[in-house]
Each structure stands twice: as C-alpha cells, then as structure tokens.
Amino acid sequence: MVDLSNSSTMSTPAMEISRIPMAPADANATESKNTTDVLDLWRLKKEIPAPFVWPQQDTHPSSTTKELDVPVVDVGSALRDAAGMRHAASQVASACASHGFFQVTGHGVDPALARAALDGAADFFRLPLATKQRARRVPGTVIGYASAHVDRFAAKLPWKETLSFGHHHHHHDGAGGGNSHLVEDYFTSNLGGSFKHLGEVYQKYCEAMEEVSLAIMEVLGVSLGLGRGYYRDFFADGSSIMRCNYYPPCPEPERTLGTGPHCDPTALTILLQDGAVDGLQVLVDGAWRSVRPKPGELVVNIGDTFMALSNGRYKSCLHRAVVHREQERRSLAYFLCPRHDCLVRPPPSPSPAPAPRLYPDFTWADLMRFTQRHYRADTRTLDAFARWLGPQSCSDPPSTNGPAKAQEIV
C-alpha cells in the first residue's frame, strides 16, 4: 500500500539488482544538500527535474481510472459472533485470492485519535528542514525522516516526504507494558521534549493499529481454515512499522509518482487516508484501479510476508500512489511485521496430497535487509529474495503446534 522499500519499477528484472540506480556511496555526506534541493522542488511551478521522472509504463495516465471494487469487512461483527466471522472470512478470502485489498469498518479506532494522528503528521511536515532532519533516516534502515528517498536512490525518486518509526507490540516483552513508551521515546529523543505530546498521540495510534491488525489476523486465520488464534499468536510479539506520508502538489503529476509500483514486503498494511484526496491505485487485470478515501474506513492489503505464510494462496498485489497538480495528500500506514527473528513458514499441508512449498523459510530480518539494501520491491521480490538466500529446502517441516521461531539474529 505504501512502499516500504522506497519505490520500485515493474520493468526491473529480478536478478538485475546491481543495475538499480542507487544513491552514491557518500550519500550520508551529501544528504543535507540533497534534501534541501528536494524540498526546493516542492515549490516548482512548471516542470519537475529528471530524477523525479518515471518510465511511462509506470505512470501511464490515470485520469479515467475506475474505482476498485473491494469488500467492506466489519471486523467488530466478526469478533462478536460466529455469523459475522463467517461472513468476514468469506469476504477476505475472495479479495485476497485475487488482489489482496479490502476495507475495514467496526475497527473501534477513536475518530478523535485518528484525526490527531493525521493532524500531527501535517504539523510535522510543515516544520523547518533543520528540525525534521533531527530524525533523518540512517541509510539501510526504515526508521526516520526521508525526503524523496535521496539517501537511497538517484533516479525515479518519489514525490513525497516520510517519517517512519517502530512499534513493539504490547506483549513483546512477554509480560505486557514493558514497551509502552517506545514511540513516545522515539519522538522526544530524536526531536526534543516539545514533541512529547505528538509521541503520545502516535503511541496510542500504534497501539490501536496493533489491535486492529491482530483482529484482522483472526479473520484471515479463519478464512484459511486455521482458526482465530493461529496468525494472531504469530504476530502477537511482533515489531511493526508506522509511516506518515506527505505528497506535496506537483507541477507535472503525469510524469512522476508519489510512490512507485510495488508490493509491500511486510505482512499486512493498514492505511488511513486523509480527507477526500485520492492517490492509492491497485493494478488489477492490467488496469490501475483507485481505492478512494471513505470516512471511518481503513484500507487493508496483504504483503509479501503473508503471501509466503499462506504459501501463495493469498496475493500481494502491485499498487502505487499518484500525486496531484494542486492538491496535497497525507496518509498514515501501519505495517504489521513479525518479530525480527521469527521464522516465516506456512502451516504444514494436509496429507495425503500436501501442496508444494513455493518459498523457503526465512526471517523478517533477512527480508527487510534485502529490500532496504539490495532490491526495490516489485511483483518478483519473493522470488529474487529466495535466490539471494541461496539453495534451501522448501519441503514441509514436521507438524508443530504453531509458527516456529528461528535463532536470534545478531
């Protein structure tokens, strides 16, 4: 839904990793100047510079884009009674077998909290550059402030700014509550004590998104015949990522993108879109379809990690974000991730005819490292990642009572 690997192209062959135009090796030394140059671009009135121009096959006109028909899933009803769960499971099964997108209502997120989180993002991106750069992202990581991803790439730059930070799930420490101030501490330690309130807002918002994501995992588990607890337990001790996105007005929106075509490498993305400004588009049957903002609804999509967990039964679909000539756009994306050392592996296939394994076992830490340092995520990310890992057995492991854990990665 939002490109965690910082934009991609549909036309890049999976094994041509070294040919992707990356930022120069001294990106750290030049980041301040590059970011200043990028922010100056936001004020351009006539044309965009060459680094922001994308291939026509990625940006082909969307003026006649039709809206994607996605189911609206009431997760509140699903958690309340068996009939609601059956209906919700049927809805997500149909959507996830084709394009992996659906909308969610009955999620219980306080509208005032959602508004505060969106307004907080708007306030942050209006800050002076020097203030925002206190939290600038370290190259090779996903956490921090970034402008057009100039710290990573030298071409096909996205027309946006982002602020990303981590969220450890409530039960991450095994007792609950031990990481209750992680997000708040991120804001105060990187931006200063005056940002304590904003950190508190995002701490509460991340906790709300965690509960929504785990509720969705219950529905997904039922839809795959695994029961309500299977995937909820798998992600209960996860370490997810929160991202605030800002897409400024653009003088030539038909030549660039806010986020390039990509599939999310994470397990699940929950997107809150601000106001009535659309931008999210999904590629279905060779055509781009819009997913428009709707009051009170959250947009959800399956990522590559869950596609691997379902052994390919549920799809991670190509999507992008477009920009507008006069209108700015904001959104909040919560990326559900497993614990970094968690072994991503589908449940054993039933006998006597087990389905062949499509992907090898892997950890989320390895997949994140691959997409942040070696590969711009696209429809072939998992295949390229499997080759990058090297020869591994894809045979079904012995039956277990739940998802396995790998050894801690140092």
Side-chain angles (χ1 to χ4, degrees), residues 263-343:
C263 295
D264 294 338
T266 51
L268 196 74
T269 303
I270 304 178
L271 185 73
L272 174 63
Q273 303 187 82
D274 191 9
V277 182
D278 65 293
L280 173 63
Q281 296 182 349
V282 185
L283 189 66
V284 178
D285 297 328
W288 289 106
R289 305 296 186 192
S290 177
V291 182
R292 304 191 188 282
K294 295 181 180 179
E297 296 184 9
L298 299 169
V299 181
V300 178
N301 71 276
I302 296 298
D304 285 343
T305 296
F306 195 84
M307 185 163 70
L309 281 171
S310 70
N311 200 32
R313 290 178 61 184
Y314 285 178
K315 309 302 181 187
S316 177
C317 192
L318 204 68
H319 54 285
R320 68 182 185 181
V322 299
V323 291
H324 302 275
R325 191 176 302 275
E326 303 295 338
Q327 294 176 304
E328 64 181 9
R329 176 174 176 259
R330 283 175 291 272
S331 66
L332 304 178
Y334 182 83
F335 300 100
L336 179 67
C337 309
R339 204 175 69 217
H340 280 213
D341 66 327
C342 221
L343 198 63

Side-chain angles (χ1 to χ4, degrees), residues 75 101 211 256 360 373 397:
V75 293
F101 275 78
E211 287 306 311
T256 190
R373 300 182 182 181

